[in-house]
Structures are given as structure tokens and as C-alpha cells.
Amino acid sequence: MSVPILSVHNLDYKYTQAPVLKNINMDIHEGAFVGLVGPNGSGKTTLIRLLLGIQRIQSGNIELFGTPIQKFKKWNKISFVSQKANTFNKGFPATVYEVVSMGLTSKKGYLSFFTKKDKEKIIAAINSVGMGDYVHQNIGDLSGGQQQRVFIARSLVSDPELIILDEPTVGVDTENVERFYNMLSRLNKERGITLLLVSHDIGTITSYVTDLLCLNKTIHYHGDPKTFQQKSDEELSNFYGHSMHSITHQH
Ligand SMILES: Nc1ncnc2c1ncn2[C@@H]1O[C@H](COP(=O)(O)OP(=O)(O)OP(=O)(O)O)[C@@H](O)[C@H]1O
Ligand SMILES: [Mg+2]
């Protein structure tokens, strides 16, 4: 198999005395669409922040594209979409085009001008999330789900190889959540972009992801989502905690 694009070995982490992550070991290979699930406080966001270098690792190690995170410099290979990105108010003075173009300025620097090719890229990214009709609309006038699609477009213009999304569909209605996951699935299948998606919605994401990762301080399951769903209630509660059964059997 190819070198994993993301690899975690023996990772432990604590903010204070109590460990938040314990003995995390995982590999994510190119082309995977990984769903990361776990109850509130199970360490999902902490793990993501460590993977993105926002928080420093304390013990164990992380390799990104084969390079130890301490030496990793090619951050433009990785994009991040957070739940909190979704905070534009009505009247925020930026159009969809301008918001998406910000995904390039971080790569090019704020004072550089966009070339024709950059502009085409920005429009292509907007089209790929189905927001082509809204290019010149103000971002604040869009619905939450539409805004979130714009943030995905922003994360796409820099041509990332890996997109990490931390609960991007909070506040998005069911129909648009399905659309959103379909869009992610297309990016994964058609453009080969590797995805790591944090979600509480295990019942829905199992039909989209290639790998399911269940975290509760430590990794309780990493593998085929269908095998996970076939497990008995007892096994599921051992893996995950009691809140799990009804959710996994929704579909
Ligand atoms: N900055 C911080 N300082 C101290 N403790 C923290 C901090 N951030 C998170 N924690 C604690 O670490 C644990 C894991 O939090 P984390 O945010 O990683 O969980 P999560 O799985 O993302 O939860 P959620 O599903 O609610 O988003 C929790 O017990 C939380 O209280
Ligand atoms: Mg979180």
C-alpha cells in the first residue's frame, strides 16, 4: 500500500491532568473518506487541532505526507473547514466570490493580484459546490447550508489533497445535509481528495464514508462502516457508550 498521507503513532494528550486522548494510532491513506465520530468531549476536535498543528503534540508522533509534523511545511496541501466558520452576519460586506478568493490569498499573500487563471479557479470552485448562481451575492444573505458550501469552495481553491472538516453541517437542514455529503463524496471520488469528516450524524455518514473512526479518548473502531453497523447493540455500547444504538440503526 502507498505511504499514508496522515499517520498517528502512540499519541497521548492532556490539557490538565486528565488525559483527553490516549494511545491514538491510525493511518489515513490517499483517497479515503474517513468519518470521525464520538460523543461530546471524546477528543475529536482536540485530535483535529493536533493534526493541523494548532496545538503542539506532547507525546507520540504525527506524520503528514510522510513528514513528521514538526518539520512539515506544505500546509497548502491541507484545508480545514470548521463549524465556527459559519458566522457571517447579514450585511457582512463580502460576496461569495470574495470569500472564496480568500482561500487563495493565504497562499499568495494579501497584496498580490489575482491572475486570470486564479479567477477561473475561484469560479470553478464555486461551481463545484453548486453555488454558481450566487457568485456576486453577499455571503451574509445566504442560508447556513449555502454559506457552508461556500466555505468548502474556499477550502478547494488552494487545490488541497486533504480536507479536514469539523462538524461542518451543524445547523444545516436534513435535505441540505444529504446534498452536502453527496458533494463531499463527489470531491472524493472524482477529484481524489482525501477527506476527514467529524460528525455526530453516524446514521447518515455511514452511507458515504469509506472508513469509520470511532473515538472516545482512544480509538474504539477503525474500519468499514458497514461492518460497524452490523455489530450487536452490546458490542456497539462497548465500543462507544450507550447513546449509540438508536442512532446507528436509523437507516
Ligand atoms: N482548551 C481546553 N482546555 C481544557 N480542556 C479542554 C480544552 N478544550 C477541550 N478540553 C476538554 O477536552 C475534552 C475533549 O474535548 P474536544 O473538544 O476535543 O471534544 P469533541 O469530541 O470535539 O466534543 P464535541 O463533540 O462536543 O465537539 C473535553 O473533556 C473538553 O472539556
Ligand atoms: Mg468538537
Side-chain angles (χ1 to χ4, degrees), residues 213-247:
L213 200 58
C214 298
L215 181 73
N216 200 354
K217 250 187 224 172
T218 187
I219 292 173
H220 289 259
Y221 180 83
H222 185 182
D224 183 354
K226 294 193 182 68
T227 313
F228 184 77
Q229 277 193 306
Q230 283 156 9
K231 290 184 183 303
S232 68
D233 280 357
E234 195 188 337
E235 278 179 297
L236 287 181
S237 67
N238 284 340
F239 267 138
Y240 203 91
H242 294 282
S243 60
M244 213 49 207
H245 330 170
S246 55
I247 313 175

Side-chain angles (χ1 to χ4, degrees), residues 40-41 43-46 83 166-167 198 200:
N40 291 134
K44 303 180 298 295
T45 297
T46 303
Q83 179 192 335
D166 193 354
E167 299 194 47
V198 175
H200 276 115

Side-chain angles (χ1 to χ4, degrees), residues 112 122 141 225:
S112 52
I122 293 165
D141 294 336

Side-chain angles (χ1 to χ4, degrees), residues 45-79:
T45 297
T46 303
L47 178 58
I48 300 293
R49 291 171 66 86
L50 290 165
L51 297 176
L52 291 167
I54 299 169
Q55 270 160 228
R56 228 171 241 264
I57 53 174
Q58 295 165 341
S59 68
N61 53 63
I62 295 174
E63 285 184 10
L64 300 168
F65 297 88
T67 304
I69 192 165
Q70 296 88 340
K71 292 186 181 159
F72 185 73
K73 295 209 168 62
K74 297 178 180 165
W75 288 104
N76 60 318
K77 282 177 182 273
I78 305 175
S79 280

Side-chain angles (χ1 to χ4, degrees), residues 22-236:
K22 262 176 90 173
N23 196 30
I24 306 289
N25 286 284
M26 66 173 196
D27 284 344
I28 293 180
H29 287 268
E30 194 180 343
F33 182 174
V34 182
L36 173 59
V37 297
N40 291 134
S42 57
K44 303 180 298 295
T45 297
T46 303
L47 178 58
I48 300 293
R49 291 171 66 86
L50 290 165
L51 297 176
L52 291 167
I54 299 169
Q55 270 160 228
R56 228 171 241 264
I57 53 174
Q58 295 165 341
S59 68
N61 53 63
I62 295 174
E63 285 184 10
L64 300 168
F65 297 88
T67 304
I69 192 165
Q70 296 88 340
K71 292 186 181 159
F72 185 73
K73 295 209 168 62
K74 297 178 180 165
W75 288 104
N76 60 318
K77 282 177 182 273
I78 305 175
S79 280
F80 174 53
V81 179
S82 77
Q83 179 192 335
K84 292 201 182 78
N86 193 357
T87 53
F88 283 113
N89 299 319
K90 281 219 177 298
F92 187 88
T95 64
V96 166
Y97 182 88
E98 286 163 343
V99 170
V100 173
S101 71
M102 289 172 200
L104 274 184
T105 45
S106 59
K107 201 174 173 185
K108 294 170 69 83
Y110 284 96
L111 293 175
S112 52
F113 291 97
F114 291 125
T115 62
K116 190 167 171 250
K117 215 173 153 205
D118 291 335
K119 290 177 184 163
E120 283 167 7
K121 247 184 176 173
I122 293 165
I123 295 292
I126 295 170
N127 285 334
S128 74
V129 297
M131 290 298 289
D133 291 343
Y134 299 85
V135 174
H136 300 296
Q137 289 252 348
N138 265 19
I139 182 86
D141 294 336
L142 302 178
S143 76
Q146 290 172 327
Q147 288 191 9
Q148 206 56 316
R149 277 148 71 181
V150 174
F151 295 123
I152 298 283
R154 182 177 62 179
S155 78
L156 286 173
V157 277
S158 56
D159 283 331
E161 292 176 39
L162 168 67
I163 305 181
I164 298 179
L165 307 104
D166 193 354
E167 299 194 47
T169 56
V170 170
V172 179
D173 64 55
T174 322
E175 189 191 332
N176 279 305
V177 166
E178 300 266 340
R179 244 190 238 167
F180 186 79
Y181 289 150
N182 276 318
M183 184 197 80
L184 290 180
S185 191
R186 274 206 316 279
L187 290 174
N188 173 250
K189 287 194 185 115
E190 292 168 15
R191 292 181 48 186
I193 299 174
T194 309
L195 300 171
L196 175 58
L197 168 70
V198 175
S199 175
H200 276 115
D201 190 7
I202 184 172
T204 308
I205 66 163
T206 42
S207 44
Y208 295 92
V209 300
T210 59
D211 295 70
L212 192 65
L213 200 58
C214 298
L215 181 73
N216 200 354
K217 250 187 224 172
T218 187
I219 292 173
H220 289 259
Y221 180 83
H222 185 182
D224 183 354
K226 294 193 182 68
T227 313
F228 184 77
Q229 277 193 306
Q230 283 156 9
K231 290 184 183 303
S232 68
D233 280 357
E234 195 188 337
E235 278 179 297
L236 287 181

